[in-house]
Amino acid sequence: MTEGTELAELRQEVRGWLDANAPTGWRDSNDDHEAFAQSQREWFAKLVEGGYAIPHWPAEWPGGGRNLAEQKVIYEELARADTPRLLLSFVSTYHAASTFFECGSQAQKDRYLPKILEGETWCQGFSEPNAGSDLAALKTKAERKGDVYVINGQKVWSTMAQYADKCLLLVRTSSDGPKQAGITYLLMDMKAKGVSVRPINQIQGDQEFCEIFLDDVEVPVEERVGEEGQGWAVAQATLASERGLTLMELSYRMRGALWRIAELIRKNGLEEDAGVLRDFGHLVARTDSACAIADQFLRNRIDGIERVGDASIVKNTYSRVLREYSLLGTRLGGMEEQYRAPITFGDLNTGNWMADFMNSYAWTIAGGSEEVQRNIISERMLEMQREPKNWVVS
Amino acid sequence: MIELNELKDAAQKAFPADQLSPDRDESWKLIAEMGWLMLPVPEELGGLGLGRDAATALHFELGRVLSSAPLITAMFSVQVLCAADKLANKAEWVERACSGEFITLNMLSNDVTLNDDGTLSGPLYAVPDADMASHVIVFVPGLSVLVPLDTDGVTVTERPLWDESRRLFEVTLEKCPVDRDLVIAEGDRSQEIGLGFKAESLLALAADSLGGATATLEMTVEYLKTRKQFNRPLAMFQSLKHRCADLKTQITAAEALLWSRAADMDASLADMGALKALAADVYQFVTEEAIQLHGGIGLTDEHQCHLFMKRAMLNLSLGGSGDELKERTGRQALAAFAAK
């Protein structure tokens, strides 16, 4: 595929910058959480300085205002250079930023957006033990007392909450009416009194997700996004960013990282193995189609012709291709992948394919599980009849 | 883009979704009248000079209705004629082909050889609709030439398919003379032409597959919404719903790749092969599931499920098998994604 001159120049520019600045040996800190977090902070700061951390932000931000084609080039090159993904600042630069851009007050934008570029990190306090796929059933309670909300409850599956400075928090301010109507969106300081975080040990040996316990935590009223009771709509803005821009970044990173499979094939001397070449060829086509659907989705969104269910299709495509990708890597890697590797945080290039395979579940389960997306696609897009509401299970 | 939508609308009007498997000869007449064969022809040869996405849109729509007219083959041969550099009266040939004289060519490899005396001998396999063609384009190393099907030494035998929406013939040449006026190209140029439009025919087959898959899923979802068992529509059962959602996801993702490749003039033969393999796999799976989701009615001859299934199965093989195409993609990617 050949590119227009401007894109080709950008690619050279990014490649040149990465030659000089891409971190090396970052997987060596895989057995030390603090060192990993530190290396993430340093890499983020460097990317901000280089102008490649937030290509998806508006143009008034340094490094922002890149069009989609330019963003894709940047993501592909970041993966090609084998740089670590920005796990620690993922929620900050996407979920938090999108929420502020779309629903934040001017004061909130002024206060928080510059801080994100300085390295302030956010986590998401949405899911609860009894509100997973049925997120609107959340029960964490917020009571208005003068100028503050007093919060009690428990959140779960908060990615990297143990390192977060702030939290995007969904709380229940009312139990009247439909369950969505009583939800309010708050910005909480993770260092506030009454907040405690407990990391969850996961199957791949890391602690990417946490539980957050909230015990009489006070959040000032000016830290509310949108009106009281309007939190569900604000949360959709947060989640929409996940199903759009993040999946474009991840799809193009996956494409840019296909060399890792090629390397495995060469390493194992399988260059002439027809079966392996077919599987690789199929994966390449699937990865290309994941990129194509992410592209199409964003173009439709920009043109205002996004349809209900489109985002679900993008998510289910990416998450399945990611599973296939990490499974092929695990298979080709053979026994070597079965020896336990120290993993701090998950991604699609931890350096151990078995770990990557286990991490891939994050995408079929988190952010609205594959099954929830299937419901959306079948009921809202294909208009298949819904099951009767108000099931009673005795 | 407006042009593309207009073309899609025109195709849907000419070939309405509720009339599956329209008559081949009627369809062919309609296609010629609509001027669709001129779409890929350069303007200097009297064509419309439209991009590949225009042809892709048509193949998609005709795939939806299981059109039996040989548009994919015809567009291939029209493009070969346009690229000819030896053909006498080329403009006239292009005009004839565009106005409905069907010239066929074989969709798979052939075993034709150029004899020492300059004649051609050997079989051409899987030649579409040879019964309605005036000529077949024969590619042998270093030569491509039009051979009239009524020449002495040409035998045309139909090999009936499971898929009744398409007709394939075996054309055998026995010491057929090469008419110098009918030579299309020679040397490397001939090879180049053959491969160049091979890529387009793979794109066309991908479009046909995804058009067919789309129609099959729509038909299946409609059936599930209507058919009741246990006092509720089958569509209400989540186990069936989720299968339909997965089919929709697979079709949509493959279709996104279809349009992106249709617009990408730099896509290689391997890229188009990868797309065709993916699209044909999706079509096959959708039609396999469609019969299962319809239940017994899906096994009856009067229901349309099997028509789509048989065409999907044929599409797996036309233009090259998935095994072959995926391997080629893997090989290309192995070279392209060199180690860092």
Side-chain angles (χ1 to χ4, degrees):
Chain A
M1 221 159 105
T2 53
E3 285 177 326
T5 323
E6 280 173 29
L7 284 183
E9 276 170 15
L10 174 65
R11 196 178 283 281
Q12 283 313 315
E13 174 198 311
V14 181
R15 209 170 271 192
W17 186 85
L18 284 166
D19 282 344
N21 293 287
T24 52
W26 53 272
R27 290 193 185 91
D28 299 343
S29 62
N30 253 354
D31 53 355
D32 180 342
H33 282 72
E34 274 312 320
F36 186 84
Q38 191 50 32
S39 78
Q40 283 269 313
R41 288 184 197 108
E42 284 166 13
W43 176 228
F44 179 69
K46 209 171 228 185
L47 277 171
V48 170
E49 196 189 299
Y52 302 121
I54 45 150
H56 60 290
W57 283 25
E60 59 265 33
W61 296 92
R66 298 284 194 182
N67 65 35
L68 294 179
E70 293 170 334
Q71 292 179 37
K72 288 184 275 187
V73 167
I74 294 172
Y75 301 141
E76 274 190 321
E77 288 303 313
L78 286 168
R80 183 184 169 275
D82 198 24
T83 61
R85 194 158 76 78
L86 294 170
L87 295 164
L88 201 58
S89 30
F90 184 60
V91 174
S92 325
T93 56
Y94 282 107
H95 305 71
S98 300
T99 310
F100 294 133
F101 286 132
E102 286 189 35
C103 309
S105 67
Q106 194 55 48
Q108 286 163 347
K109 286 179 193 168
D110 293 345
R111 194 176 325 142
Y112 291 122
L113 286 166
K115 287 268 192 199
I116 289 175
L117 294 187
E118 289 166 22
E120 188 166 86
T121 59
W122 288 77
C123 65
Q124 193 176 301
F126 280 22
S127 296
E128 296 180 6
N130 290 313
S133 289
D134 187 8
L135 181 63
L138 62 91
K139 288 199 177 69
T140 291
K141 199 172 163 191
E143 275 181 293
R144 177 87 184 249
K145 286 192 179 156
D147 292 338
V148 298
Y149 286 102
V150 179
I151 305 175
N152 284 285
Q154 182 189 348
K155 293 290 172 179
V156 72
W157 313 129
S158 295
T159 306
M160 303 225 164
Q162 68 270 53
Y163 296 104
D165 301 301
K166 306 278 174 187
C167 178
L168 306 168
L169 188 71
L170 285 185
V171 294
R172 179 158 301 287
T173 40
S174 162
S175 304
D176 299 335
K179 56 192 176 180
Q180 284 86 355
I183 293 172
T184 298
Y185 200 114
L186 300 176
L187 307 172
M188 180 178 77
D189 189 341
M190 289 296 282
K191 289 168 197 77
K193 192 166 162 279
V195 177
S196 51
V197 176
R198 191 167 74 191
I200 298 169
N201 292 324
Q202 290 166 240
I203 55 174
Q204 63 272 42
D206 71 358
Q207 300 174 330
E208 191 178 341
F209 302 129
C210 299
E211 291 176 288
I212 303 175
F213 299 92
L214 304 162
D215 184 14
D216 283 333
V217 179
E218 294 188 0
V219 173
V221 170
E222 69 259 27
E223 302 287 19
R224 190 182 66 213
V225 185
E227 296 304 314
E228 192 172 296
Q230 298 295 311
W232 187 251
V234 180
Q236 298 315 307
T238 308
L239 292 172
S241 82
E242 172 155 300
R243 290 167 198 166
L245 287 167
T246 64
L247 288 176
M248 193 188 78
E249 171 180 344
L250 291 166
S251 302
Y252 276 86
R253 273 185 166 272
M254 186 157 69
R255 197 171 182 282
L258 280 169
W259 63 267
R260 297 186 65 232
I261 300 268
E263 195 177 72
L264 267 181
I265 292 174
R266 272 189 283 267
K267 194 177 115 194
N268 293 317
L270 296 168
E271 297 99 318
E272 291 303 320
D273 185 313
V276 167
L277 289 171
R278 279 171 201 155
D279 290 343
F280 185 37
H282 184 64
L283 177 69
V284 170
R286 289 275 286 155
T287 307
D288 284 345
S289 82
C291 290
I293 188 85
D295 271 2
Q296 179 184 298
F297 174 72
L298 282 174
R299 275 198 314 271
N300 286 352
R301 175 175 281 183
I302 290 165
D303 295 344
I305 51 172
E306 180 186 346
R307 295 160 308 170
V308 177
D310 284 349
S312 303
I313 287 182
V314 177
K315 182 168 186 286
N316 278 9
T317 301
Y318 172 76
S319 58
R320 270 297 138 186
V321 179
L322 179 65
R323 180 73 46 78
E324 292 163 22
Y325 185 99
S326 55
L327 187 58
L328 183 60
T330 307
R331 202 186 94 198
L332 293 175
M335 262 313 289
E336 208 43 53
E337 310 307 317
Q338 296 310 310
Y339 296 111
R340 202 180 174 96
I343 299 300
T344 43
F345 291 113
D347 192 13
L348 75 145
N349 57 353
T350 57
N352 180 282
W353 286 98
M354 175 69 180
D356 293 357
F357 171 74
M358 292 187 279
N359 280 323
S360 73
Y361 279 93
W363 284 96
T364 45
I365 295 174
S369 70
E370 190 173 37
E371 288 71 21
V372 167
Q373 310 303 335
R374 284 179 178 137
N375 284 347
I376 295 172
I377 296 163
S378 56
E379 290 176 356
R380 303 187 58 188
M381 203 170 210
L382 301 177
E383 298 177 335
M384 297 174 84
Q385 292 94 334
R386 289 166 183 252
E387 284 173 76
K389 292 237 168 200
N390 306 321
W391 275 76
V392 179
V393 181
S394 52
Chain B
M1 278 315 270
I2 288 169
E3 250 171 11
L4 204 57
N5 285 334
E6 282 173 4
L7 199 56
K8 280 184 197 169
D9 287 348
Q12 284 170 7
K13 280 200 189 90
F15 292 95
D18 56 353
Q19 288 165 37
L20 277 190
S21 312
D23 178 72
R24 182 190 70 171
D25 298 344
E26 300 272 318
S27 302
W28 178 250
K29 250 188 257 165
L30 191 55
I31 284 171
E33 276 167 27
M34 304 279 279
W36 289 348
L37 294 160
M38 286 191 286
L39 289 185
V41 175
E43 286 173 83
E44 61 269 24
L45 286 171
L48 298 170
L50 290 181
R52 289 198 300 214
D53 48 358
T56 304
L58 286 184
H59 295 310
F60 186 94
E61 294 304 328
L62 293 186
R64 284 177 75 104
V65 296
L66 294 169
S67 159
S68 51
L71 183 63
I72 294 177
T73 316
M75 277 203 180
F76 196 154
S77 51
V78 164
Q79 285 176 295
V80 168
L81 293 176
C82 290
D85 61 354
K86 300 281 183 203
L87 188 61
N89 307 319
K90 172 171 149 179
E92 191 190 313
W93 274 105
V94 171
E95 201 197 322
R96 278 167 65 177
C98 284
S99 51
E101 176 175 338
F102 179 56
I103 294 167
T104 191
L105 46 73
N106 66 311
M107 300 293 281
L108 297 171
S109 61
N110 68 58
D111 285 332
V112 176
T113 49
L114 186 60
N115 302 315
D116 292 341
D117 64 0
T119 61
L120 296 166
S121 289
L124 295 145
Y125 310 110
V127 183
D129 303 86
D131 64 314
M132 60 179 270
S134 65
H135 295 70
V136 60
I137 297 175
V138 179
F139 284 91
V140 289
L143 175 73
S144 40
V145 61
L146 285 161
V147 174
L149 285 166
D150 57 6
T151 312
D152 283 346
V154 176
T155 326
V156 176
T157 317
E158 178 160 18
R159 295 200 58 193
L161 293 162
W162 284 111
D163 172 19
E164 291 178 41
S165 73
R166 287 210 179 103
R167 293 178 68 182
L168 293 181
F169 295 76
E170 204 163 294
V171 176
T172 308
L173 311 180
E174 182 57 44
K175 289 196 177 296
C176 284
V178 170
D179 181 341
R180 296 311 302 175
D181 281 350
L182 298 184
V183 170
I184 291 169
E186 288 178 310
D188 293 346
R189 177 76 188 147
S190 175
Q191 171 91 344
E192 218 174 89
I193 293 175
L195 287 182
F197 300 112
K198 169 104 186 161
E200 313 235 345
S201 73
L202 291 169
L203 176 66
L205 284 167
D208 181 83
S209 298
L210 295 173
T214 302
T216 308
L217 180 61
E218 280 169 8
M219 177 180 79
T220 306
V221 167
E222 207 41 53
Y223 177 75
L224 294 174
K225 284 190 211 173
T226 325
R227 167 89 176 153
K228 283 188 178 170
Q229 288 286 275
F230 307 102
N231 299 318
R232 69 182 71 172
L234 291 178
M236 206 180 265
F237 290 96
Q238 203 178 39
S239 61
L240 307 184
K241 239 180 222 177
H242 281 194
R243 281 159 73 178
C244 293
D246 285 349
L247 298 179
K248 177 73 180 168
T249 301
Q250 286 196 24
I251 295 170
T252 312
E255 203 193 322
L257 188 64
L258 172 78
W259 296 113
S260 113
R261 290 269 148 97
D264 177 9
M265 289 314 289
D266 299 313
S268 69
L269 184 60
D271 291 336
M272 288 304 187
L275 167 68
K276 184 262 169 183
L278 183 74
D281 279 355
V282 169
Y283 194 12
Q284 186 280 321
F285 185 59
V286 170
T287 56
E288 180 187 336
E289 284 285 86
I291 291 183
Q292 184 65 31
L293 290 166
H294 275 82
I297 192 81
L299 288 177
T300 62
D301 186 59
E302 69 178 311
H303 199 277
Q304 292 148 339
C305 273
H306 71 110
L307 302 177
F308 286 103
M309 184 274 281
K310 289 167 182 171
R311 178 127 154 178
M313 288 299 199
L314 180 62
N315 280 9
L316 284 176
S317 291
L318 283 183
S321 73
D323 284 344
E324 178 191 333
L325 298 172
K326 286 172 195 171
E327 184 181 334
R328 195 193 294 161
T329 313
R331 223 172 263 287
Q332 176 183 271
L334 196 60
F337 296 107
K340 190 169 90 89

